[in-house]
Amino acid sequence: MWDAFGFEFVNFYLIPGLVLGCIYALGAIGITLTFGILRFANFAHGEMMMMGGYLTWTIMAIVTALFGLTLHPLVAMVPATAVVIFLFLLTDKYFYKPFRKEDTIKVVMASFGMMLIIRSAVQAIWGPNQLKFVSGIAKPNEILRDVSGSIDLMLLVPNKHIWIFLGTIVIVIALSYLLNKTRIGKAMRAVSDSPDLAHVTGIDVDQVIRATWIVGGICAMAAGVFLAMDIQLLETTMGFRMLLPMFAAAILGGIGKPYGAVFGGLVIGLAEELSAYPWIGDTPLLSPGYKTGVAFAIMVIMLIVRPQGLFKGRSF
Amino acid sequence: MKNVLFGASALAMITSGAFADVTIGNPMAMTGPIPDLNAPIAAAVDLAAKSVNEQGGMFKSGEMLNIIRADSACDPTAAVDAVTKLINVSNVAAIVGPVCSGATIAQAESVSIPAGVVTLSVSASSPAISTMEDGTDLVFRAAASDAYQGVALAELAIEKGYMDMAVSYANDDYNAAIAAVFVDAYTAAGGTVTANEAHEPSKASYRSEVATLGSTSDNLALFAYYGSGGITVMRNALETAAFSNFIGADGMLSDEVIEQIGAENMGGVTFTTSASDPTTEAYAAWSAVAEAGGVPAADPFVPNGYDAAFMMALAIEKAGTADRGAIAAALREISSAPGEIILPGEWAKAKEILAAGGDINYEGGAGNQDFDENGDVAGLFSKSEVVDGAWVAELIK
């Protein structure tokens, strides 16, 4: 039944790899920005993604209950983003700021504690059960299937994946505009390169930190909602499970380099999925049971061979 | 002075009260991949304690039976933490639980066996548990081993006419073990396993896995927990049209699966689970107790949960003390012949016989609960399919 050229490879390995890569990329942007500008590894980032998914679900549920409408997750995401950004700023003010002048390890531990607090809070509020984000199974987009099928390159892409691709492209373009064209974006890059020098030139570091949380919050939010759209359910460890590949992506691209994070995310996502393709013979090149190991291996090799990452980030 | 005296005597009362009560530790998978399956089992354990306390409590003095619950999260690390706390801090007499095989094995090996505490699992079914002990007799379970369920599943596959199957299992103690049993039994029965791959739990996507497996067969034997990847594997398999028929075991049997995937997509899905014979007298007694207590009597492992907690209470009563050392032997005595048959809920009767020095033989809602030399019990299985948007179970003869 699957006879179109490269059908299996494109639809079952390449496209899922890109979808996963988009989610990793968005999460890694937030991680790399906090790492670059605030100088600590934020372990609570995955939980913020998860929280974003739950808040979006809640807004969808409220709208359905009040007006009988089914909101698209991308619409419900907007008000939820405001809440997540508020939470990011709140945690920064009360949990991270007091440690800013101390050793980095203290902030890292604070973020680790924050991770546990958020996860437990979500379990207490929404319960430990999985929640249904969108039920049923996602059929491939028919227009795309028919058009691509007529040129002998059958593409099976469900609508949810098209939304994820488009959403990621829009966010990355907006981010690049912000970083290159706006004053605050340039200030963010300056602080990332050298905080002391930036401070001397009169950049308001506190404002840059706030901007970092806002940008990181929007990206984390999008990553969380895209992940929930992809797996169609919510569970309380879904953000945490993404944390390691996202760190791998941030390190691969270079700490403090948002484009590096996007590139790293796509590479890690593709590497995880493509490692299970039967490149040689009929069996998977690498047992799919070791997928997570692929991201980890890339991270370790990168740290040994080129600790500053592909895009020349900071090395530690 | 008066206040101080009052305070001191109040304190004395509290402490003596705490010492007098009998406590059983109950690590359950409250969070983790199967909270939905776990909730009624936990309710059944509480119901057993309620039966005991309403009918005279423990020992001559009528002490309370307290269940101290902890979260083992269906995870080996979490289970070790939870049970360490139960044994060392809460000082429990015995452990009833955990739910998952990986959690049970880990906590037994590193905590409860070294501490000399009896574990009676409510639902751990991995064949590895039968042979894990070396010279001790401390690990029991109130649910049948998957050494039997895997065979039942293989027979079911053949009966349904699935002569070739791909196998995908989550990489953990429970799922890997039942998959291995299934593959052996299925091959021996004449089936062909076209591909057999582990998958990593809790990934966002399993499309590449199902694509690799899907090119070999139309039927998938899926061994996973529904909450840590099982639902996603099924969804990806259906989305990519890689598989149309699925069989699997306990870990996937939850209403959550129907809610998430949609009943209309689940025509070719059959999952098996441990089941009880509803025609026995013991099951009738259990279902009356369950109905009065508001617990779903026929849900997976719910009767096993009640049986486990009730038997543990009987064993402590028989031993006459909450001393850890005497419980294992007593557990064997109260659960098997000879003795007066005790059915679920008959605590007062059992207590009376034990007080008079008599023998009892507990028969539970889940089965006769006679432990063999490995601390295992025999059991029956049922298969469940989706009919009109809900699971309908049928006993496998």
Side-chain angles (χ1 to χ4, degrees):
Chain A
M1 62 196 247
W2 297 336
D3 38 8
F5 171 74
F7 175 86
E8 213 178 310
F9 177 75
V10 172
N11 288 311
F12 301 143
Y13 294 89
L14 190 66
I15 292 177
L18 284 172
V19 169
L20 199 58
C22 285
I23 297 167
Y24 287 160
L26 288 173
I29 290 173
I31 286 178
T32 208
L33 283 177
T34 24
F35 216 142
I37 293 171
L38 291 145
R39 294 182 156 58
F40 76 95
N42 183 9
F43 280 102
H45 202 77
E47 311 308 300
M48 283 292 185
M49 283 172 54
M50 179 268 289
M51 186 82 165
Y54 272 83
L55 286 167
T56 305
W57 177 87
T58 309
I59 287 167
M60 284 164 68
I62 290 172
V63 170
T64 310
L66 288 183
F67 308 106
L69 291 170
T70 313
L71 269 192
H72 194 278
L74 292 179
V75 181
M77 190 179 130
V78 177
T81 308
V83 183
V84 166
I85 289 174
F86 178 72
L87 279 174
F88 259 120
L89 295 175
L90 208 68
T91 51
D92 181 59
K93 186 168 178 198
Y94 291 105
F95 292 90
Y96 304 148
K97 201 173 178 190
F99 299 109
R100 201 158 287 153
K101 298 270 180 266
E102 312 267 339
D103 298 335
T104 315
I105 189 69
K106 291 185 181 163
V107 206
V108 174
M109 285 300 128
S111 80
F112 199 83
M114 205 58 227
M115 172 183 97
L116 299 176
I117 292 171
I118 295 171
R119 191 186 311 158
S120 305
V122 169
Q123 283 173 348
I125 297 169
W126 284 278
N129 281 339
Q130 296 185 328
L131 297 178
K132 175 181 67 177
F133 201 66
V134 180
S135 82
I137 59 171
K139 296 281 181 206
N141 184 301
E142 288 180 14
I143 302 170
L144 191 65
R145 187 189 63 196
D146 294 344
V147 171
S148 60
S150 63
I151 54 164
D152 218 18
L153 183 93
M154 180 101 86
L155 287 179
L156 299 181
V157 191
N159 285 335
K160 60 182 184 185
H161 290 169
I162 298 177
W163 285 117
I164 293 173
F165 288 138
L166 289 178
T168 309
I169 292 169
V170 168
I171 289 172
V172 171
I173 290 174
L175 182 74
S176 97
Y177 176 81
L178 178 91
L179 290 176
N180 291 319
K181 302 284 181 195
T182 63
R183 198 179 158 75
I184 187 73
K186 287 175 188 166
M188 283 168 74
R189 286 194 294 150
V191 174
S192 175
D193 286 341
S194 165
D196 294 337
L197 212 57
H199 192 66
V200 171
T201 51
I203 289 171
D204 181 351
V205 176
D206 278 336
Q207 197 189 7
V208 167
I209 288 173
R210 271 197 301 279
T212 308
W213 287 118
I214 291 170
V215 174
I218 292 170
C219 292
M221 184 67 209
V225 173
F226 289 171
L227 176 62
M229 281 169 69
D230 186 25
I231 59 178
Q232 293 180 251
L233 52 85
L234 292 166
E235 53 113 1
T236 52
T237 55
M238 62 189 241
F240 179 68
R241 312 254 181 217
M242 306 297 277
L243 201 62
L244 179 66
M246 291 187 318
F247 268 110
I251 289 169
L252 179 65
I255 293 295
K257 301 287 166 188
Y259 302 122
V262 174
F263 181 77
L266 290 172
V267 169
I268 299 276
L270 284 172
E272 282 195 9
E273 293 293 316
L274 298 188
S275 66
Y277 187 71
W279 294 103
I280 307 161
D282 292 336
T283 51
L285 183 67
L286 194 67
S287 164
Y290 298 109
K291 262 189 188 177
T292 313
V294 174
F296 199 63
I298 293 176
M299 183 167 100
V300 169
I301 292 168
M302 204 63 200
L303 282 172
I304 295 169
V305 178
R306 195 178 154 90
Q308 70 272 41
L310 292 175
F311 284 60
K312 272 212 168 202
R314 185 172 302 109
S315 61
F316 290 87
Chain B
M1 189 62 207
K2 210 175 167 186
N3 278 346
V4 173
L5 264 180
F6 180 74
S9 57
L11 192 70
M13 275 163 68
I14 291 166
T15 44
S16 66
F19 272 111
D21 285 354
V22 175
T23 54
I24 294 177
N26 180 226
M28 297 289 275
M30 306 307 287
T31 62
I34 51 166
D36 215 34
L37 271 178
N38 172 77
I41 308 177
V45 170
D46 290 340
L47 185 60
K50 196 166 153 238
S51 299
V52 170
N53 290 330
E54 276 175 357
Q55 298 180 35
M58 306 288 300
F59 308 138
K60 277 207 185 76
S61 47
E63 289 161 20
M64 290 284 284
L65 174 66
N66 288 334
I67 302 284
I68 301 185
R69 180 149 302 144
D71 182 15
S72 56
C74 199
D75 173 68
T77 321
V80 168
D81 288 352
V83 175
T84 305
K85 183 172 155 281
L86 288 172
I87 290 179
N88 294 336
V89 181
S90 310
N91 208 18
V92 298
I95 299 289
V96 170
V99 175
C100 298
S101 299
T104 306
I105 293 171
Q107 68 91 8
E109 275 178 348
S110 54
V111 192
S112 69
I113 293 178
V117 175
V118 171
T119 299
L120 173 54
S121 171
V122 294
S123 66
S125 54
S126 168
I129 294 174
S130 302
T131 52
M132 66 177 290
E133 280 185 278
D134 186 18
T136 56
D137 188 26
L138 292 168
V139 181
F140 296 82
R141 51 179 156 177
S145 164
D146 285 335
Y148 308 110
Q149 184 168 204
V151 175
L153 206 51
E155 284 166 5
L156 179 75
I158 300 284
E159 183 193 307
K160 285 195 155 281
Y162 304 156
M163 293 317 290
D164 60 300
M165 294 208 92
V167 179
S168 183
Y169 61 93
N171 226 346
D172 64 56
D173 283 318
Y174 159 69
N175 289 302
I178 187 170
V181 174
F182 170 79
V183 168
D184 285 348
Y186 181 68
T187 322
T192 311
V193 175
T194 55
N196 183 3
E197 290 285 349
H199 66 258
E200 173 90 14
S202 300
K203 296 295 289 180
S205 153
Y206 292 103
R207 288 181 198 86
S208 55
E209 282 90 336
V210 295
T212 315
L213 296 171
S215 56
T216 64
S217 172
D218 215 20
N219 313 311
L220 179 68
L222 172 61
F223 300 100
Y225 290 118
Y226 71 85
S228 62
I231 288 178
T232 311
V233 173
M234 268 188 80
R235 181 176 272 137
N236 289 163
L238 289 163
E239 278 170 3
T240 55
F243 292 100
S244 42
N245 300 313
F246 299 83
I247 62 167
D250 318 297
M252 287 299 294
L253 189 59
S254 163
D255 291 340
E256 196 78 18
V257 180
I258 302 180
E259 200 183 314
Q260 297 271 5
I261 308 261
E264 69 279 7
N265 301 315
M266 295 182 60
V269 179
T270 314
F271 294 143
T272 58
T273 188
S274 247
S276 330
D277 182 354
T279 57
T280 62
E281 208 182 323
Y283 188 83
W286 151 245
S287 77
V289 171
E291 200 173 318
V295 172
D299 277 18
F301 299 114
V302 174
N304 309 66
Y306 184 93
D307 290 350
F310 201 81
M311 283 192 289
M312 192 56 89
L314 286 172
I316 295 172
E317 182 78 22
K318 164 91 185 175
T321 160
D323 189 21
R324 290 167 176 175
I327 293 174
L331 192 56
R332 287 186 177 281
E333 283 172 30
I334 57 98
S335 61
S336 49
E340 184 91 9
I341 303 266
I342 296 295
L343 302 179
E346 296 185 334
W347 178 257
K349 180 181 169 191
K351 192 174 160 75
E352 204 175 300
I353 297 170
L354 288 173
D359 257 336
I360 57 169
N361 174 17
Y362 180 76
E363 304 272 304
N368 65 14
Q369 303 290 16
D370 291 347
F371 296 108
D372 67 9
E373 69 271 26
N374 294 325
D376 288 354
V377 293
L380 296 168
F381 301 98
S382 70
K383 57 175 181 181
S384 297
E385 289 177 343
V386 179
V387 179
D388 293 334
W391 291 111
V392 173
E394 187 194 325
L395 208 62
I396 301 174
K397 295 291 175 194

